[in-house]
Amino acid sequence: MKYLLLKHYRGGPAPTWDWAPMDQWTPQEVDAHIQYMRDFADRLKDSGEFVGEAALAPEGTFVRYDGEGRPPVTDGPFAETKDLIAGWMIIDVDSGDRALQLAGELSAAPGPGGKPIHEWLEVRPFLTEPPKTVTE
């Protein structure tokens, strides 16, 4: 089964986040974090569980059709939160339990002082068939 792992980062301080935003990390801390993710991806490539990954720029916009052909564009990527999706990884694993195990490992990527940041990862299975409708 394929799963999408969404990496969420915090754009500012909040009590639910144990670490400073990445723009406050030293270059060595950023390098160590990125190296951890590269090593993680390489291990999944070796096991055949890796499908793809990408980092995302913090800039973005929202676009929505307005019914008149002029889509309104707003600042983004998120209108009401300081969270941002910083990147994603697609994995192909045998079970949901394996997806959760790998997400937990990725959550341990180092941050300030080399300590695991325990970041939140969103784990989403790919939809493999249209949703079933409930009939009464």
Side-chain angles (χ1 to χ4, degrees):
M1 295 182 65
K2 288 184 183 170
Y3 288 85
L4 176 66
L5 306 180
L6 289 173
K7 295 178 63 61
H8 291 262
Y9 283 107
R10 184 62 155 168
T16 58
W17 296 81
D18 297 340
W19 41 277
M22 192 175 272
D23 62 359
Q24 297 175 17
W25 297 9
T26 67
Q28 294 82 8
E29 291 168 339
V30 172
D31 289 346
H33 183 81
I34 292 170
Q35 188 61 52
Y36 180 96
M37 291 185 294
R38 286 182 180 150
D39 293 344
F40 182 84
D42 287 344
R43 188 166 51 90
L44 295 183
K45 288 174 187 173
D46 290 344
S47 70
E49 296 173 305
F50 180 85
V51 176
E53 69 179 340
L56 300 173
E59 302 83 20
T61 57
F62 275 111
V63 177
R64 184 182 80 177
Y65 179 68
D66 69 354
E68 298 181 24
R70 294 182 316 269
V73 176
T74 61
D75 290 340
F78 300 98
E80 299 295 328
T81 182
K82 291 185 180 184
D83 292 352
L84 81 104
I85 297 174
W88 54 266
M89 181 179 289
I90 298 173
I91 57 175
D92 191 355
V93 294
D94 292 333
S95 69
D97 287 341
R98 177 67 174 153
L100 296 176
Q101 175 191 11
L102 292 173
E105 290 179 35
L106 190 54
S107 173
K115 297 178 183 173
I117 60 174
H118 307 286
E119 72 178 313
W120 286 100
L121 281 106
E122 187 174 347
V123 180
R124 302 276 303 267
F126 275 58
L127 186 62
T128 56
E129 60 185 60
K132 294 178 176 39
T133 58
V134 177
T135 56
E136 299 180 284

